[in-house]
């Protein structure tokens, strides 16, 4: 009987330890959890780049490789309004927590976009046209090209034939994604995570 009591006491103390550990994990901020996940993905992207190229990428074009988390927007809601995105989707889109992971292998790219609304893998080759749907459902066709250290995307909307231009470039420690549609320019700034 004494052994049974000791076993129950020990089990109860162990359960309290597990509960306390769980509660401590739960107190991590959402941001800390996201940063941790980004670091795991960044490590994975770096490992894949080393496997593909035998060493860490030194080519400026390879600077896009890695996981990037949205930090801030500039004129993004106005851009979405010009694109015809309704007010509800604009408000949600401005706070989408977008994270993109880019893997480049020569002229081929794999871009994983993950947000509050969707997760999608986009594969493209520089200079080769492909089809793509924006998060709001707008369908595009076009291609990405490298101009110096900048990725330049030239796309046409399928619904109205109007042009959308996108740029991706590394500025300091940020990935800056610029969109231009009907004369309205917006920027999204990403930090490596």
């Amino acid at each position: 009987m004494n052994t049974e009591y000791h076993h129950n006491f020990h089990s109860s103390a162990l359960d309290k330890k597990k509960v306390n550990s769980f509660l401590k994990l739960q107190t991590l901020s959402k941001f800390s959890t996201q940063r941790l996940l980004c670091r795991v993905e960044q490590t994975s992207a770096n490992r894949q780049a080393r496997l593909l190229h035998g060493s860490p990428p030194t080519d400026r074009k390879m600077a896009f490789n890695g996981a990037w988390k949205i930090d801030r927007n500039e004129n993004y809601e106005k851009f979405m309004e010009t694109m015809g995105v309704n007010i509800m989707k604009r408000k949600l889109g401005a706070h989408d927590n977008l994270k993109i992971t880019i893997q480049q292998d020569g002229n081929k790219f794999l871009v994983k976009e993950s947000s509050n609304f969707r997760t999608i893998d986009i594969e493209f080759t520089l200079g080769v046209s492909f089809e793509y749907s924006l998060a709001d459902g707008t369908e595009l066709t076009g291609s990405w090209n490298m101009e110096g250290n900048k990725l330049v995307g030239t796309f046409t909307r399928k619904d109205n034939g109007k042009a959308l231009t996108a740029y991706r470039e590394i500025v300091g420690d940020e990935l800056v994604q610029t969109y231009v549609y009907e004369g309205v320019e917006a920027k999204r700034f990403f930090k490596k995570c």
Side-chain angles (χ1 to χ4, degrees), residues 21-71:
S21 293
F22 178 76
L23 291 174
K24 284 179 187 176
L25 287 174
Q26 293 300 310
T27 60
L28 285 174
S29 71
K30 180 180 178 185
F31 178 76
S32 295
T33 304
Q34 288 174 342
R35 295 273 305 170
L36 178 62
L37 290 173
C38 284
R39 283 190 180 142
V40 168
E41 287 187 15
Q42 179 65 40
T43 301
S44 175
N46 286 342
R47 187 177 303 116
Q48 286 178 348
R50 281 194 303 275
L51 290 173
L52 287 171
H53 304 286
S55 62
T58 55
D59 183 358
R60 181 74 176 140
K61 294 175 185 175
M62 302 304 279
F64 293 102
N65 278 352
W68 302 87
K69 178 82 173 129
I70 189 70
D71 183 56

Side-chain angles (χ1 to χ4, degrees), residues 123-132 140-144 154-155:
E123 293 183 55
F124 64 88
T125 301
L126 294 178
V128 177
S129 187
F130 67 100
E131 294 183 354
Y132 174 69
L140 307 170
T141 186
S143 64
W144 286 97
T154 307
F155 299 94

Side-chain angles (χ1 to χ4, degrees), residues 110-133:
L110 172 62
V111 179
K112 179 179 182 177
E113 293 182 358
S114 179
S115 71
N116 292 339
F117 312 109
R118 70 178 185 169
T119 298
I120 185 171
D121 289 340
I122 306 139
E123 293 183 55
F124 64 88
T125 301
L126 294 178
V128 177
S129 187
F130 67 100
E131 294 183 354
Y132 174 69
S133 290

Side-chain angles (χ1 to χ4, degrees), residues 59-64 102 104 106-107 109 124 126-127 143-154 165-171 174-180 185-187:
D59 183 358
R60 181 74 176 140
K61 294 175 185 175
M62 302 304 279
F64 293 102
I102 301 173
Q104 179 184 359
N107 286 338
F109 284 77
F124 64 88
L126 294 178
S143 64
W144 286 97
N145 289 289
M146 189 69 76
E147 294 181 10
N149 292 328
K150 190 184 292 191
L151 275 171
V152 179
T154 307
T165 306
Y167 304 90
R168 283 184 178 148
E169 62 184 319
I170 306 299
V171 179
E174 295 182 313
L175 170 66
V176 180
Q177 200 159 275
T178 305
Y179 306 97
V180 180
E185 181 179 290
K187 292 186 180 201

